[in-house]
Amino acid sequence: MVSDQDVLNALGTVLGPDGKTPLPQSGAIAGLSIKDDKVYLSIAIDPQQAGALEPMRAAAEAVVKKLKGVGNALVSLTAEKQTPPPAPPKPQAPRSIAIPGITHIIAVSSGKGGVGKSTTSVNIALALASLGWKVGILDADIYGPSLPRLLGLKGQPESEGRFMKPLEAFGIKAISIGFMVDEEEPMVWRGPMVMAAVQQLLRDVTWGELDCLVVDMPPGTGDAQLTLAQNVPLAGAVVVSTPQDLALIDARRGIAMFNKVDVPVLGIVENMSYFLCPHCGGRSDIFAHGGARAEAERLGVPFLGEVPLHMTIRERADSGKPVVVSEPDSPYAKVYLDIAGQIKAMLEKGRQRVAPKIVIE
Ligand SMILES: Nc1ncnc2c1ncn2[C@@H]1O[C@H](COP(=O)(O)OP(=O)(O)OP(=O)(O)O)[C@@H](O)[C@H]1O
C-alpha cells in the first residue's frame, strides 16, 4: 500500500498555488488520507482562484494516480470560509478521519517551549495507564523530540510490512517524530510537512486497541501546531503553562488556537507551580503561583492541577523513569494521577469535538 510519504514525494513535481513552490512545501496541503488503494488529498486555496488552479488540481491528481499501489485518487480544492456564516452552528461530520482501534486522542500542548510539556505528557500518559486504560503516546515535538529520553527507550521501531511497531515502556506504547528525521540534518518544518509525518505516525503504526493516545504537540501556536490541531481527530487538548505572566499569555494563545479549530480544551495544568525544597520540604511560590488557575477561571476552561517544581520530577524524567511509575506513592505522582483522573472522566463523559467549517469548492 502507498504511504503518505510516497504521495508527498510524487507531489513534489507539481507546483503549488503560487506557481513557484512545489506543492508539499507550499503550505497548501490541507489534508491527506489513504484508504486501501484510494488517496484523498485536499489543497487549500483562495476561493477566488478555484478556476485558475484547476490545472494544478488535475496535475496533482494525475501524478498520484500514476503511483504504484494507487487505484484511485481524489484531489479537491478547499477553502475556509472568509466571512463567518450567519446561520446557527450545526453539528458537522468530523473533518479528520478517526483511527480504528483508538477511542480518544488528546493533545498536550504549550504556548511556548520549555514549560515542561513533554514531562507532563509522559506522566499523564503513564497515570492514565495506571488508572486502567490502554495508552499510547506520540511525540510530535519537532523542535526536540524527547520521548526516548523520558521513557528510557533505545533503538528504532521495527517495521511490520509498511507499518511501524511502536516501542513499549512501562506498559504504554510510544512512537516519536525523532524516528522519522535525521537529527544531524537541520530542517524547516512547514505545517503540512509536520502533518504528513504525524499522519504517518498516527496511521502507519500498529497501535492496536487504545483507550487513549496522547499526542505531545510541538510547543507554540504557529502554522505547524494549527495544522495539527485541525487535522488530528482530537477529543480534546490539555494546555501546560508555568505561572509567569508571559507564559500565561502564550497559554492563552494556545487555548485560542484550539477554540479556533473547535477542539475542546480539557483544561490547563500549571507546571513548576511552586518550589518544594528537597532538603527541608518547604514551599516557595517562586513565580507567584496560581496564575494559571485564575487564567483558567477567566477563560472558562477547567483547571486541572498544580505540579510543583521539584528535583525528583526532573531527575526521574531525565533518567527515563518518570515519577508516576518510579515513585507512584509520592505526592508528585498523586498530582499527575489526579489530573489524569479528571481527563479520563471528561473523555468518558464524551465531550465531542465539533469539526471546523470547511467549504469544498
Ligand atoms: N515540575 C517539574 N519539576 C522539575 N523539573 C521539571 C518539571 N517539569 C519539567 N521539568 C524539567 O524541565 C526541563 C524541560 O522539560 P520538558 O522537556 O518536559 O519541557 P518541554 O516544554 O517539553 O520543552 P520543549 O518544548 O523545549 O520540548 C526538563 O529537564 C524537565 O525534567
Side-chain angles (χ1 to χ4, degrees), residues 113-119 141 219 271-272 307-310 313-314 318:
V115 301
K117 169 185 55 59
S118 302
T119 308
D141 189 344
N271 190 36
M272 310 195 199
V307 182
L309 172 67
H310 196 275
I313 298 180
R314 195 203 63 74
D318 291 346

Side-chain angles (χ1 to χ4, degrees), residues 190-247:
R190 298 292 313 268
M193 290 164 70
V194 182
M195 197 50 232
V198 171
Q199 285 285 11
Q200 214 172 330
L201 295 182
L202 277 172
R203 296 176 197 277
D204 296 354
V205 167
T206 51
W207 290 111
E209 297 286 319
L210 292 183
D211 295 299
C212 187
L213 178 68
V214 177
V215 179
D216 182 3
M217 295 267 287
T221 49
D223 180 30
Q225 292 80 354
L226 186 67
T227 312
L228 259 182
Q230 199 167 21
N231 286 278
V232 174
L234 291 173
V238 173
V239 176
V240 182
S241 179
T242 50
Q244 303 96 314
D245 288 349
L246 274 178

Side-chain angles (χ1 to χ4, degrees), residues 88-94 352-357:
K90 281 198 214 107
Q92 302 238 325
Q352 286 295 314
R353 170 180 183 176
V354 183
K357 228 178 180 64

Side-chain angles (χ1 to χ4, degrees), residues 140-220:
D141 189 344
I142 44 179
Y143 305 109
S146 47
L147 196 62
R149 172 176 54 87
L150 289 169
L151 288 176
L153 290 168
K154 291 200 177 66
Q156 291 282 318
E158 289 169 23
S159 55
E160 290 180 330
R162 81 173 189 90
F163 288 92
M164 249 187 281
K165 208 172 148 205
L167 300 178
E168 262 191 76
F170 311 111
I172 65 170
K173 296 184 175 170
I175 208 98
S176 169
I177 204 160
F179 300 138
M180 319 240 335
V181 290
D182 182 352
E183 278 178 38
E184 306 293 308
E185 195 74 16
M187 90 183 266
V188 179
W189 288 92
R190 298 292 313 268
M193 290 164 70
V194 182
M195 197 50 232
V198 171
Q199 285 285 11
Q200 214 172 330
L201 295 182
L202 277 172
R203 296 176 197 277
D204 296 354
V205 167
T206 51
W207 290 111
E209 297 286 319
L210 292 183
D211 295 299
C212 187
L213 178 68
V214 177
V215 179
D216 182 3
M217 295 267 287

Side-chain angles (χ1 to χ4, degrees), residues 22-330:
L23 205 39
Q25 284 84 41
S26 68
I29 295 183
L32 169 61
S33 75
I34 301 175
K35 186 138 199 321
D36 303 321
D37 65 346
K38 293 182 199 62
V39 177
Y40 304 91
L41 177 80
S42 51
I43 305 172
I45 56 151
D46 174 351
Q48 315 270 329
Q49 286 194 294
L53 291 174
E54 172 54 27
M56 173 196 75
R57 190 204 64 76
E61 202 166 83
V63 295
V64 177
K65 271 187 184 159
K66 269 200 212 130
L67 278 174
K68 205 166 154 236
V70 173
N72 202 1
L74 186 71
V75 176
S76 55
L77 302 178
T78 74
E80 305 243 10
K81 243 190 180 146
Q82 303 294 308
T83 46
K90 281 198 214 107
Q92 302 238 325
R95 172 185 180 178
S96 30
I97 302 154
I99 303 184
I102 305 184
T103 312
H104 306 286
I105 304 182
I106 61 167
V108 177
S109 117
S110 63
K112 66 179 192 116
V115 301
K117 169 185 55 59
S118 302
T119 308
T120 310
S121 306
V122 163
N123 277 298
I124 288 178
L126 292 166
L128 285 169
S130 77
L131 294 175
W133 265 9
K134 290 195 217 77
V135 177
I137 180 161
L138 190 167
D139 174 12
D141 189 344
I142 44 179
Y143 305 109
S146 47
L147 196 62
R149 172 176 54 87
L150 289 169
L151 288 176
L153 290 168
K154 291 200 177 66
Q156 291 282 318
E158 289 169 23
S159 55
E160 290 180 330
R162 81 173 189 90
F163 288 92
M164 249 187 281
K165 208 172 148 205
L167 300 178
E168 262 191 76
F170 311 111
I172 65 170
K173 296 184 175 170
I175 208 98
S176 169
I177 204 160
F179 300 138
M180 319 240 335
V181 290
D182 182 352
E183 278 178 38
E184 306 293 308
E185 195 74 16
M187 90 183 266
V188 179
W189 288 92
R190 298 292 313 268
M193 290 164 70
V194 182
M195 197 50 232
V198 171
Q199 285 285 11
Q200 214 172 330
L201 295 182
L202 277 172
R203 296 176 197 277
D204 296 354
V205 167
T206 51
W207 290 111
E209 297 286 319
L210 292 183
D211 295 299
C212 187
L213 178 68
V214 177
V215 179
D216 182 3
M217 295 267 287
T221 49
D223 180 30
Q225 292 80 354
L226 186 67
T227 312
L228 259 182
Q230 199 167 21
N231 286 278
V232 174
L234 291 173
V238 173
V239 176
V240 182
S241 179
T242 50
Q244 303 96 314
D245 288 349
L246 274 178
L248 283 166
I249 292 170
D250 289 313
R252 208 174 301 153
R253 283 203 193 104
I255 290 169
M257 175 181 82
F258 287 113
N259 283 339
K260 190 170 167 187
V261 294
D262 292 311
V263 171
V265 175
L266 299 170
I268 302 184
V269 173
E270 184 171 270
N271 190 36
M272 310 195 199
S273 185
Y274 51 92
F275 174 68
L276 274 187
C277 174
H279 307 296
C280 68
R283 167 181 170 147
S284 321
D285 290 342
I286 298 181
F287 306 120
H289 109 281
R293 183 189 289 275
E295 191 62 31
E297 270 167 27
R298 214 178 61 76
L299 296 171
V301 300
F303 180 70
L304 296 173
E306 297 167 352
V307 182
L309 172 67
H310 196 275
M311 286 268 286
T312 308
I313 298 180
R314 195 203 63 74
E315 281 169 1
R316 297 297 181 187
D318 291 346
S319 65
K321 295 188 197 78
V323 275
V324 167
V325 282
S326 58
E327 298 199 19
D329 298 322
S330 66

